[in-house]
């Protein structure tokens, strides 16, 4: 399958001409203010940046535009614990490829507990068959995340991940990388917001840095996530000395 025919989403276009005021949230976020279009890689697209730059806001808007629950799960996950999603979804236009995904899923670390509770509410144990048949609350946070990758996601899918590393140890992040690659080889496409330098190492991807200046395509080695982590691991004593001296 050629790159031209791979992937399910090709591009996001922001209909900025419809926005009445960029002084109000979410349009006041610098990334959204400067947003025009965002091209997706047919395999994996990463959104990286400091806390508060708008990664989750954009990912949530994509999920809602795809009719996925903004708190996570599939289109069949109809629960809602809080209506906190922004109206950005109504101002974006998703350009789709000729292919249609057979599987759609939004893995959101922030609200995954709520999703797990919803699936077991009122004896809805049939939902658990798609997660290996074991209660997600009976597993650790990290184990339940890997249950999604191992059992729930079957391939030929479009998958949105918001900070999947939140519950994963470094070793489990490596396991997640392997499982993501397996799903990519099963004609799947990922859009991932992450801070993890391990997960960001996935090759053959598109990596976008979000900042106060907008969205810029970048390389793995040029991300702050890579450079800061590398510098710290190479010289932990020196870095700690600098940090602690700054506090005195």
């Amino acid at each position: 399958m050629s790159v031209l025919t791979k992937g399910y989403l090709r591009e996001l276009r922001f209909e900025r001409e419809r926005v009445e005021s960029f002084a109000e949230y979410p349009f006041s976020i610098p990334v959204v203010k400067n947003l025009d279009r965002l091209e997706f890689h047919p395999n994996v697209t990463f959104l990286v940046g400091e806390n508060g730059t708008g990664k989750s806001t954009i990912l949530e808007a994509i999920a809602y535009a795809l009719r996925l629950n903004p708190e996570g799960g599939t289109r069949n996950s109809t629960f809602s614990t809080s209506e906190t999603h922004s109206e950005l979804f109504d101002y974006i236009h998703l350009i789709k490829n000729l292919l249609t995904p057979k599987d759609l899923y939004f893995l959101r670390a922030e609200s995954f507990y709520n999703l797990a509770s919803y699936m077991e509410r009122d004896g809805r144990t049939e939902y658990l068959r798609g997660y290996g048949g074991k209660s997600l609350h009976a597993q650790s946070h990290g184990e339940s995340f890997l249950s999604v990758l191992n059992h729930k996601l079957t391939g030929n899918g479009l998958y949105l991940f918001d900070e999947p590393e939140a519950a994963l140890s470094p070793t489990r992040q490596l396991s997640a990388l392997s499982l993501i690659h397996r799903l990519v080889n099963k004609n799947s496409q990922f859009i991932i917001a992450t801070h993890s330098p391990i997960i960001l190492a996935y090759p053959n991807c598109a990596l976008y840095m979000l900042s106060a200046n907008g969205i810029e395509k970048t390389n793995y080695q040029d991300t702050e996530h890579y450079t800061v982590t590398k510098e710290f691991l190479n010289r932990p004593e020196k870095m700690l000395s600098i940090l602690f001296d700054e506090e005195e």
Side-chain angles (χ1 to χ4, degrees):
M1 183 179 291
S2 70
V3 173
L4 292 175
T5 56
K6 284 184 66 178
Y8 305 102
L9 287 186
R10 291 168 49 198
E11 185 179 314
L12 177 154
R13 294 180 184 172
F14 179 41
E15 300 174 349
R16 56 186 308 110
E17 68 281 356
R18 296 178 49 224
V19 178
E20 294 183 1
S21 172
F22 281 92
E24 298 180 3
Y25 178 84
F27 311 111
S28 58
I29 299 173
V31 161
V32 178
K33 276 186 176 181
N34 292 285
L35 182 62
D36 182 30
R37 55 197 291 268
L38 187 66
E39 293 183 349
F40 300 112
H41 193 282
N43 294 339
V44 180
T45 299
F46 287 114
L47 304 178
V48 300
E50 267 297 338
N51 296 325
T53 52
K55 301 182 302 299
S56 295
T57 301
I58 290 177
L59 197 63
E60 177 189 81
I62 296 170
Y64 205 81
L66 291 169
R67 295 188 290 113
L68 287 165
N69 189 327
E71 292 191 52
T74 68
R75 286 177 173 173
N76 294 325
S77 303
T78 56
F79 75 98
S80 176
T81 56
S82 180
E83 294 289 340
T84 58
H85 60 274
S86 75
E87 58 179 322
L88 181 60
F89 76 93
D90 200 33
Y91 291 81
I92 64 172
H93 179 55
L94 298 177
I95 309 299
K96 301 177 182 179
N97 212 332
L98 296 176
L99 301 174
T100 300
K102 295 181 180 178
D103 196 21
L104 283 164
Y105 197 91
F106 183 21
L107 176 63
R108 189 166 198 177
E110 183 180 45
S111 53
F112 190 76
Y113 179 91
N114 300 334
L115 175 65
S117 299
Y118 164 76
M119 290 188 298
E120 297 185 45
R121 191 174 64 200
D122 302 327
R124 295 174 178 153
T125 54
E126 71 276 5
Y127 282 96
L128 297 180
R129 287 196 291 270
Y131 294 85
K134 184 178 180 181
S135 167
L136 295 177
H137 285 315
Q139 305 177 56
S140 72
H141 204 183
E143 288 173 333
S144 63
F145 272 36
L146 289 181
S147 289
V148 173
L149 281 162
N150 267 310
H151 303 292
K152 184 64 177 175
L153 310 186
T154 57
N156 296 295
L158 174 58
Y159 304 125
L160 312 182
F161 284 7
D162 190 12
E163 299 186 2
E165 75 279 5
L168 301 176
S169 70
T171 300
R172 292 299 178 90
Q173 289 181 45
L174 292 172
S175 297
L177 266 183
S178 177
L179 293 169
I180 288 170
H181 186 60
R182 184 188 70 184
L183 288 162
V184 166
N185 286 336
K186 291 183 177 179
N187 301 318
S188 297
Q189 182 182 25
F190 287 83
I191 303 173
I192 303 175
T194 181
H195 294 288
S196 168
I198 292 176
I199 292 177
L200 283 172
Y202 188 85
N204 193 21
C205 67
L207 200 159
Y208 292 97
M209 176 64 70
L210 281 65
S211 71
N213 297 320
I215 300 179
E216 181 181 5
K217 202 168 188 178
T218 189
N219 298 312
Y220 174 56
Q221 289 84 358
D222 294 330
T223 63
E224 187 179 70
H225 307 67
Y226 172 85
T227 56
V228 170
T229 302
K230 181 181 180 182
E231 184 71 13
F232 183 84
L233 293 177
N234 284 342
R235 302 189 305 161
E237 295 84 4
K238 179 65 174 178
M239 292 288 284
L240 289 172
S241 176
I242 293 172
L243 288 171
F244 296 162
D245 285 345
E246 288 178 353
E247 293 181 358
E248 294 177 358

